Structure formats: structure tokens, C-alpha cells
Amino acid sequence: MKKFVAILLMLSCLLFSVNLAGASQPTDKEYKFWNAVAKQVAQESWNRIGSKPRRVIVLTNSPYVKFGHYSPQAALDGISKETGATPGRGTLLEVHAARTSPLWFVLYDQDSGKSVYCAVNKAKAVELLDKGAADIKGVPAQELFSKIVCENIKADFLFADAQTWNEKIKHKVFDGNEFRIVTIVNAVDKGAPADLVKSVLYHDHFCPGVTSGYLLANFLDKELPLRSPSDSYFIISAPVWCKEDALQTVLNTTPGKSGMAILPMDAKAKDKLIMEAENLAGIYFRTDSKTKRSEALVLSFDFSRGDALSGLGTQKLFEWEKKLKIVLWSLDHLDQPEIFITVLKRFELKDGETPLDYVQPGINPLEKLGLVK
């Protein structure tokens, strides 16, 4: 009996490892299948745009999505071959998504602003993969794709008739992906820095909250820079908003590597803050692992300053319209974080004290630092 159980366990482990290997390295047929899908995406896009564009930005969530035990990641090679977009050029962009998300591609013509959105029909793709199909010849586009639509999404074009695009958002012309697609392609088209784009892709859309995290990282570079390999950051994120995704991406301060502690705050908790801390944006520690010395900054971030300087705060705009305008405006001010950020407190930790002492169970770091009324 023991031998039988041991054999079953060995077989289970073997099957599990084979399954994992299949997920990370597709079979030749799977690889060819997803490359064929990518080729079809490109052909359908060129037909709707009118010709193959000279400059293309491609967005897709294919590296993250799973179709059962199949991964569409191989489509990246195919779409790169067909469009000329590459990660190195910053034109092949992998948008973070849950693995259960529908699979989609966007091909954006940087010159005309026309973009084609293609969503893959999951049921049909799985059916073909289960049959061992290596290509999709003879499969009609209306069966392979659940949606193919062409829209001009260049920022100036959208702003010229915001009402029309607002209606298209309501009708989910891109299956609810309208804001993420429009913000990402227009920011990249304007020349957003590569590390900011990485933050945006991780967050899965570009919004003022992500920009604030990037600006906070730039502020630390000026006011509390890492001086040697023995230095590292630890962040207490309080309150929490989109900035954390940028901080983790740019500074590698992930909670899993003890680089960040998350302290959510509801409206009641925020009301207890002293007036000077009403725009609190977190507590930022720098520790030297050799000397065991730490110093820290308590920072605030005031979004209203951007509204005032850009002039957008007084304009009557749709929510998506204002956010897109402010993030594009902010790209010209990334080297001026002091516009938005104020140092509320600067302090050094006592001998033997570490940043983790501020986030232990039962400890409120905001009370400890005198930020609560």
C-alpha cells in the first residue's frame, strides 16, 4: 500500500511539473498557433487602418492571460514580427491583467491616431488548440475574434469632440478598456520615460495617481537619495492610492521584499490627521545596512497644485478627459516634484530603532510621529 501511495505521489509530481513546463514553454504547435493569431490581428488591423503604418505602438495583455492551461504569450513574437514593434523600442507594451481576463490587442498608428482593437474569442481559440491546430487558415475573423473595431484615439482628436468619445466609453467600444488604452498610447506617443511607462503598465492604466508615485520617487532622488549599495528604502504607505504601484516598480520597494508596509486609511482616519498632514503621502525611510542608521521623511502630495498650474481645475471636463489632460501635462513637469510635494517632517531613528518598529501590530506610526490630532 505504501509503495502504491508513493508511486501515485511521484506521478502527481511528474504531471504537475509537465503542466508547469507546458505553461512556460509552448509546444511547437501552440507557438505557431499564437503567431498565426498575431498575424491575423495585424492583417485585420491594416485592412481597417487602410495600410501598414510607418510607426506603430502595440498594446496587449497576452503575457498575463491564460486560456485554461494555454498561454498566449507566444503571440508577442508574432505581433512583433508583423508590426515591427519591440520592447527595446518601447513600442510593444505588455499591459498587466488578471489571468482570467479576456485576451486583446491594440495596434495604434502614431501618425494618423487610428487604432484597431481586437479581442480574441476564447472558446474558439481553446477549441482549435485542443484539436492541435498549428494555424488558423480557413477560420473566419468573426469566429476567431469576439470584437474588431477601429477608432481614432489620438488625444487632440478626442479632445476636439469629447462628447462623442464619452458616448463610446459608455457603450464600451473597447470592451471597457477605453481609458487604459487611450491613456497609455497617448503617453507613450508623447515620449513618457521608460520607467514611468513600466509603472503605468503594471498599474494597467495611466492616471494622476501613478504620476504622483513617480514624482515621489523623483523627490526622494533629490532629498533622500540612496548613497551606496548598502542603502535601501522602506516605505509606509499611508494613505494608499495608485502611487504605490509606481513606487514598487521604480524603487523595487515591494511588500514581499520588506520594502513597503501598507496602511489603508478611511475617511474617518483621514479626518483625525492634523491640518498640516491633510495631504499626507507616506513615510519614507532610508537605512544603511552597514551602520544600521536610518533617517526618514514624512511627505505630502497636493494634487490641486497641478490643477491650478495646468488651468484644468477650472474647466468643465469629463472625468476621463481631465485625467488624460493632466497626465499628459504632467509629463512636462516630472523633474519638478517639489511643485506637488512638501516635507512635513524629517527625522533620524534612535540607536537600535528600525523602520519596522513603526509598523508592528498595535503601533500607529501616525500617532508615533505626532500626525494625529
Side-chain angles (χ1 to χ4, degrees), residues 68-104:
H69 63 275
Y70 301 113
S71 169
Q73 179 171 293
L76 287 175
D77 288 355
I79 206 70
S80 180
K81 179 181 177 182
E82 298 297 327
T83 65
T86 69
R89 291 190 178 97
T91 51
L92 179 52
L93 308 174
E94 303 171 20
V95 183
H96 198 193
R99 60 186 178 183
T100 53
S101 300
L103 172 62
W104 55 265

Side-chain angles (χ1 to χ4, degrees), residues 284-349:
Y284 300 80
F285 297 84
R286 180 182 67 188
T287 300
D288 186 332
S289 61
K290 289 183 178 179
T291 65
K292 309 299 182 184
R293 302 291 299 179
S294 298
E295 50 191 310
L297 298 176
V298 180
L299 302 178
S300 69
F301 192 98
D302 190 347
F303 286 97
S304 67
R305 294 180 185 175
D307 289 345
L309 288 171
S310 64
L312 296 171
T314 58
Q315 297 182 27
K316 188 176 181 180
L317 303 168
F318 294 110
E319 183 180 0
W320 66 265
E321 185 183 11
K322 180 180 179 180
K323 287 182 177 179
L324 178 55
K325 284 188 173 184
I326 197 69
V327 296
L328 293 178
W329 174 86
S330 69
L331 292 178
D332 297 323
H333 302 276
L334 297 177
D335 61 345
Q336 299 171 286
E338 59 278 357
I339 291 176
F340 311 88
I341 300 167
T342 301
V343 177
L344 300 178
K345 191 181 186 75
R346 186 188 294 265
F347 63 99
E348 293 186 7
L349 275 61

Side-chain angles (χ1 to χ4, degrees), residues 18 20 52 55 58 81-82 119 132 152 163-164 195 199 270 278 280-281 321 325 340 346 371-372:
V18 167
L20 285 178
K52 182 177 179 179
R55 299 184 305 138
V58 176
K81 179 181 177 182
E82 298 297 327
N152 191 318
Q163 180 65 54
T164 296
D195 55 348
S199 304
K270 291 176 184 178
E278 63 180 357
L280 181 66
E321 185 183 11
K325 284 188 173 184
F340 311 88
R346 186 188 294 265
L371 301 174
V372 178

Side-chain angles (χ1 to χ4, degrees), residues 160-171:
D161 189 4
Q163 180 65 54
T164 296
W165 183 248
N166 197 62
E167 290 301 313
K168 290 181 178 182
I169 290 176
K170 288 181 181 178
H171 291 92

Side-chain angles (χ1 to χ4, degrees), residues 226-277:
L226 300 182
R227 302 154 302 185
S228 70
S230 61
D231 275 350
S232 63
Y233 288 125
F234 177 77
I235 300 170
I236 299 178
S237 292
V240 178
W241 68 77
C242 315
K243 68 182 186 304
E244 277 67 46
D245 287 350
L247 289 165
Q248 289 182 72
T249 305
V250 175
L251 302 178
N252 199 20
T253 50
T254 66
K257 295 189 289 290
S258 299
M260 182 180 289
I262 304 296
L263 185 63
M265 298 176 67
D266 58 18
K268 187 181 294 185
K270 291 176 184 178
D271 285 342
K272 292 180 180 178
L273 293 172
I274 59 175
M275 186 172 62
E276 295 82 356

